[in-house]
Amino acid sequence: MAATITRHYLTLGSGANRRRVHYRRAGTGPVLLLVHQSPRSGGEYEELMRHWGAHFTCIAPDTPGFGQSEPLAKASPNIDDYADAIVEFIAAMGLDQVPAYGFHSGAIILITALKRHPERFSGIAAGGYGVWTEAEKAAFGANYTPPFLPLPYGQHLVWAWNRVLEQAWFFPWYDVRNETRMRNAHDDPGKVHDIIMEILDAGDSFRHGYAAVLAAPRDIPPPDAVSAPVFITAYDGDPMQAHIDRLGDMPASWSARKVRTPDDQIAASLAFLQTLTPAPVIEPKADSHQGFISISTPAFSGQLHWRRAEANPADLLEIHAPGQALDCMAIRGTAIDLPGHGLSSPWPGEAPRDWAPWAAVIEAARTALGLGTVALPAVPPGDPDRLFPDFTPDRFGSYLTRAWAIARARHFFAPWYEGNAAHAIPFAPEDIALEQLALECRALVRASAARQFAMALQAKG
């Protein structure tokens, strides 16, 4: 049976160095740390965690500035900063030493962390390890990580879509030549969408994590060094496979192997990890003012994302509007993302269009969080089918710019699709601030149940 994944927040540090870390947990037994590649999040390991959870308690944090983790309090963090951040997380979880797995950027972060904090790791399995030439580092620095900031009409989304798509065609993505083609090229909108959403979550922070790993030095100890074991693999078609030939001399406890397929790489890594000294079994540590709760009603079973105001929270459960999420709100009490919105689980199958199933979820959340009253959003005016069109990813990424245009227009007109003087509504400049629109666009794209929630609110009256 596949392991169930739970999600948690843990706040580290204090003052200017206080930051939120989001992590996923699955499985039973000794802990295994998983560190993702850039610009992804721990979510890229969900399938792996469901299977490896039979052997380990898999813990996969979002590294600083990625996924739902806050960035480091430093303008231009380097690879040492990201390595130290992982070790800070390990310590905060109550672990003295762990085995770990990292893919690409995650492998570089972990191997740097091993060099800086050798006592913290019993061993590392690495899915590829980049050893860059000085010329490659210079080219990456000039081209790979341009600023990524929201623009008024969503132009940044066009760039992001094509940059992620063509990364599947060429490596590096900006070097478009026959010689740089990827062997495993694809144009799958779903795969591109998953990465796009993680870039949108990270915002401009995504380039700092990339820059750090691309500028990282070769951190392999000399051949006579005493080191925890490290096992590096790379499969056919992975650009990092050629870097196995660049590794040079390594300690006796280190080894590297080229394998044929991604499945071979995963299997070889698991076999290696099972030989390492296990970490102890631990209970998850989490914040008390934000996180995820598991609820079950006749129509829904899953996790709801929640957050509470840290200063003097009201005894109130706040519900966002259809197509939005708690990140879009100024929270006075406690807010949740409803199913099919924000970071909460989706409804199984088609979301309900009548009010009763939604009301049951809200009541279950209110009870679980120990709250008093519920504040519902206003009933949205307009036709739900027009208010919330289909945002299924398409081959050209046009759904992203459509969502941005809607997020912007609904501050000007009600309903947004009636763009004329008769339907104009007042707005404040902060309503269309670019960072606010970025939040609302992201929430709208994620809101798979927005149309049905709007219908349920209208039916309730």
Side-chain angles (χ1 to χ4, degrees):
M1 183 176 178
T4 298
I5 295 172
T6 59
R7 301 173 68 170
H8 312 268
Y9 290 114
L10 184 64
T11 298
L12 307 183
S14 61
N17 293 317
R18 187 174 187 262
R19 62 185 178 89
R20 178 187 71 206
V21 177
H22 170 255
Y23 70 95
R24 290 168 171 82
R25 182 180 188 272
T28 57
V31 168
L32 172 66
L33 178 71
L34 304 173
V35 181
H36 63 83
Q37 64 180 319
S38 301
R40 305 300 305 272
S41 73
E44 79 163 323
Y45 287 134
E46 286 196 354
E47 182 179 356
L48 187 65
M49 293 172 75
R50 290 188 180 97
H51 295 292
W52 282 9
H55 310 283
F56 300 102
T57 297
C58 298
I59 294 180
D62 298 345
T63 57
F66 293 95
Q68 306 305 314
S69 289
E70 292 176 326
L72 298 170
K74 188 174 182 179
S76 298
N78 59 33
I79 193 62
D80 290 349
D81 297 315
Y82 286 96
D84 291 349
I86 281 293
V87 171
E88 183 185 13
F89 172 75
I90 294 170
M93 292 293 287
L95 293 162
D96 293 326
Q97 188 181 74
V98 293
Y101 172 80
F103 187 78
H104 285 202
S105 308
I108 291 176
I109 291 171
L110 282 171
I111 287 175
T112 302
L114 174 64
K115 176 184 178 182
R116 294 174 63 79
H117 307 275
E119 75 284 357
R120 289 291 188 179
F121 299 93
S122 59
I124 293 169
Y129 179 74
V131 180
W132 312 108
T133 67
E134 292 306 313
E136 287 169 336
K137 289 180 184 179
F140 288 144
N143 300 292
Y144 208 93
T145 54
F148 181 66
L149 300 170
L151 295 170
Y153 303 110
Q155 308 97 304
H156 61 294
L157 299 171
V158 177
W159 176 85
W161 179 267
N162 287 285
R163 177 252 186 269
V164 173
L165 176 64
E166 294 204 9
Q167 176 94 340
W169 299 350
F170 303 96
F171 182 80
W173 62 269
Y174 59 81
D175 187 6
V176 181
R177 295 179 293 122
N178 285 317
E179 293 79 7
T180 62
R181 285 182 177 274
M182 295 281 282
R183 287 180 52 179
N184 301 321
H186 70 82
D187 63 356
D188 184 332
K191 291 181 179 179
V192 177
H193 170 79
D194 289 345
I195 301 174
I196 284 288
M197 295 309 296
E198 290 174 316
I199 287 180
L200 298 186
D201 283 337
D204 200 42
S205 292
F206 101 93
R207 66 189 177 99
H208 298 303
Y210 253 140
V213 297
L214 293 172
R218 175 188 178 276
D219 258 342
I220 299 176
D224 59 350
V226 176
S227 167
V230 172
F231 179 49
I232 302 169
T233 54
Y235 54 81
D236 294 351
D238 180 351
M240 294 301 100
Q241 192 182 69
H243 288 232
I244 286 183
D245 297 329
R246 302 181 180 185
L247 293 174
D249 293 333
M250 301 186 296
S253 58
W254 288 48
S255 60
R257 182 193 308 168
K258 296 179 183 180
V259 297
R260 192 172 61 85
T261 69
D263 286 345
D264 293 338
Q265 192 265 325
I266 291 299
S269 296
L270 175 61
F272 168 79
L273 290 165
Q274 290 177 306
T275 69
L276 301 178
T277 302
V281 178
I282 63 167
E283 290 301 315
K285 297 189 177 182
D287 290 344
S288 60
H289 65 281
Q290 59 187 340
F292 296 80
I293 53 170
S294 296
I295 69 165
S296 182
T297 71
F300 173 81
S301 182
Q303 288 193 304
L304 298 183
H305 181 220
W306 67 277
R307 186 171 299 151
R308 178 176 292 130
E310 291 192 62
N312 303 315
D315 184 19
L316 179 70
L317 178 61
E318 298 175 274
I319 307 299
H320 56 75
Q324 296 198 6
L326 64 78
D327 283 344
C328 303
M329 304 168 66
I331 300 171
R332 297 170 294 142
T334 301
I336 60 170
D337 288 338
L338 288 174
H341 289 77
L343 303 181
S344 290
S345 302
W347 288 93
E350 179 76 10
R353 303 184 179 202
D354 56 310
W355 178 245
W358 293 92
V361 167
I362 293 169
E363 176 59 20
R366 186 194 67 79
T367 301
L369 293 168
L371 298 169
T373 57
V374 174
L376 294 174
V379 178
D383 177 0
D385 285 331
R386 298 184 68 185
L387 287 170
F388 303 105
D390 184 15
F391 292 116
T392 300
D394 62 88
R395 167 64 174 73
F396 303 103
S398 59
Y399 72 107
L400 294 171
T401 52
R402 186 163 64 250
W404 182 273
I406 292 171
R408 183 178 171 89
R410 63 186 180 188
H411 290 291
F412 304 150
F413 306 100
W416 68 262
Y417 55 79
E418 296 287 1
N420 52 61
H423 293 85
I425 56 174
F427 67 96
E430 57 267 25
D431 295 339
I432 57 169
L434 296 182
E435 289 300 331
Q436 180 64 26
L437 290 179
L439 281 175
E440 294 179 9
C441 175
R442 196 161 73 239
L444 187 56
V445 171
R446 280 199 167 111
S448 59
R451 183 185 304 114
Q452 294 88 344
F453 182 39
M455 291 176 177
L457 282 172
Q458 289 179 348
K460 177 182 180 297

